[in-house]
Amino acid sequence: MKWPLKSSPVPREQLPLYNLMYLHAPGIEHADSTILWGTEIDASGLQSWLEACRSTSPVLISTSHVLLQATAQALAQHPDLNRRVVGRRVFAYRNINLRLAFQNPAHGGVDVVLVQSAETRSLQEIASLVWRTLLLANRGEADIERDRRRMRSLPAWGFHWLMALYRWLDRHWALPTIGRLDDLRCSAVLVNDLSFRNAPPMRCYKPTRFPDESISINVTMGPIEEKVLVRDGQPAVGSVAPLFVKVDHRIVDAYQLGRFLATLRELLQHPAQMDALAAERIRATAARWLQRPEESSDNLVRKTA
Amino acid sequence: MNRTEAELLGFLQDRAGLDASFDTGSDLLASGVLDSMLLIELVLYIDRVFGVVFTSDDVAPANFRTIETLAAVVDQRLDSCQRRVA
C-alpha cells in the first residue's frame, strides 16, 4: 500500500480565488475548469539529440522517452502543477510520477506505463523501463495483465458498480493506492506521444478527462513535420512538432501553465541538458533525506507497511 | 539476401508499406520507418517466426539500425542455440 498524496491538503490561503471558485462550483458539468494550451517546438535539436543517442546509448531512445524526461524536469521546476483535486481540496503528490499511454497491438487497446520518481532518472533508465514494460505488456506477461483480465471478466453490472464506488471514494478521500492497476493513481500526469509513423499533422488535440480525478495534467506531442521557420531573421525550412498541455484551473491558472509550457518547450528543444538536471536532483534528494530522514521513501514505506 | 533478411524485409514491407528503393541496408531509425509500435511488432514477429526472444536489453540502436544488422543478430542467436543443442 502506498500513500501517493501528502497527508494534508494545500492550505486554502495558498489557493488563488479563481481556483477556489472552480473548486467550489456545483459540478464539473456546469463549470469547465479545463485549460488547454498548444504550441510548437523547433524539433531540429531534438532530432539531432536522438541521432546522437543512437550512436552512444546502448538502449534505443525515442521521442516518447525524451518527452517523459522533459515533462519530469519541467514539473520539478514547477511543483505547483504536481497536484490533484480531492473533493473541494487540493493535495500535492509526494513524488513526480508520470504515466505514458501506449497502444498495445496485442489487444488493440491503450496501456499505461508508470515511471516513478521520473525527475531523478536518466534518459537511458527511462527508455529501458519503457521498453521492458512494452515488451511484457505485448507478450501478455506483465503482472498487471492478470488484474486487467480480472476486471474484464466482471459482469457489466459488477463493473459499473465497482467503477461507481471507486470514483466516489477517489473523489472524496485522499486514499492510498492498493494493487498494481490502482498504482497508476500515483501520478498527476498523462504523457501522450502521438508522433507515430504516418500520423497526420496535428493542429489541435483535446485529450479526454479520465473518470477519476487523479490526472490533472495531460502532455501531448504530435508528429514532427517540415515547416518554414524564421531563423536569424531569415526564412528557413526546419522540423517542427506540436505540443499541447491540458491542466485544471482548480489547480493552476493560465500564467502558471504558460510558464510550465515554456520550460517544457525549452527542455525539448535542448534535450542534452536533462541528464545533468536528473543527476543534480538525485544529489539534492539524497542531501534532503540525510538532513530529514523522515521524508525518505524508505521511511514512508516502513510507515505504511 | 539470406532467408532471415528476406523474411524481415517482407514483414516490414507488409506493415510499413515501404517503397521499392528500401533495401536491407537502408537505415530503419534515421528514416523513421521503425517507430515504437512497429518495433514491438517486429520483436514479437521474430519471437513467433524464428523462436528468438528479445529482451529490453536487446532493444539497442546497433541491433535495429538496418535489416542486415537485425538479421545478423537473429542468425547469431539461432546458431548459438543450434550449437547448444548439438
Side-chain angles (χ1 to χ4, degrees), chain A residues 73-145:
Chain A
Q73 293 305 328
L75 268 182
Q77 292 180 43
H78 302 274
D80 288 357
L81 276 81
N82 194 29
R83 294 174 172 180
R84 65 158 289 184
V85 171
V86 179
R88 308 277 188 210
R89 294 169 300 169
V90 175
F91 282 84
Y93 279 90
R94 292 180 193 272
N95 298 312
I96 296 178
N97 302 326
L98 306 178
R99 307 180 210 193
L100 173 73
F102 66 93
Q103 191 71 17
N104 186 337
H107 58 65
V110 173
D111 270 345
V112 178
V113 183
L114 180 69
V115 184
Q116 304 203 49
S117 300
E119 84 285 12
T120 60
R121 291 178 188 261
S122 69
L123 190 55
Q124 210 171 295
E125 277 181 287
I126 291 174
S128 293
L129 173 70
V130 171
W131 285 125
R132 192 163 57 246
T133 312
L134 254 65
L135 281 173
L136 285 172
N138 278 277
R139 287 179 173 137
E141 292 169 356
D143 292 337
I144 203 169
E145 285 304 316

Side-chain angles (χ1 to χ4, degrees), chain B residues 5 8 12 22-30 34 42 60-73:
Chain B
E5 289 174 358
L8 296 176
L12 287 173
F22 203 91
D23 61 25
T24 56
S26 302
D27 195 324
L28 292 169
L29 303 176
L34 207 56
L42 182 58
N63 292 344
F64 285 86
R65 181 61 77 176
T66 64
I67 290 174
E68 284 166 6
T69 57
L70 186 57
V73 175

Side-chain angles (χ1 to χ4, degrees), chain A residues 51 53-55 57-62 64-65 103 105-106 128 131-132 134-135 138-139 193 195-198, chain B residues 15-16 29-30 32-41 43-44 47 53-57 59-61 64-65:
Chain A
E51 196 45 50
C53 287
R54 283 170 194 150
S55 317
S57 168
V59 187
L60 186 58
I61 306 288
S62 75
S64 311
H65 311 141
Q103 191 71 17
S128 293
W131 285 125
R132 192 163 57 246
L134 254 65
L135 281 173
N138 278 277
R139 287 179 173 137
D193 176 14
S195 64
F196 56 90
R197 187 175 39 83
N198 295 338
Chain B
R15 292 301 170 99
L29 303 176
V33 166
L34 207 56
D35 63 12
S36 303
M37 269 177 66
L38 188 58
L39 186 141
I40 295 290
E41 282 186 60
V43 167
L44 297 181
D47 191 348
V53 178
F54 275 45
T55 66
S56 57
D57 292 339
V59 184
F64 285 86
R65 181 61 77 176

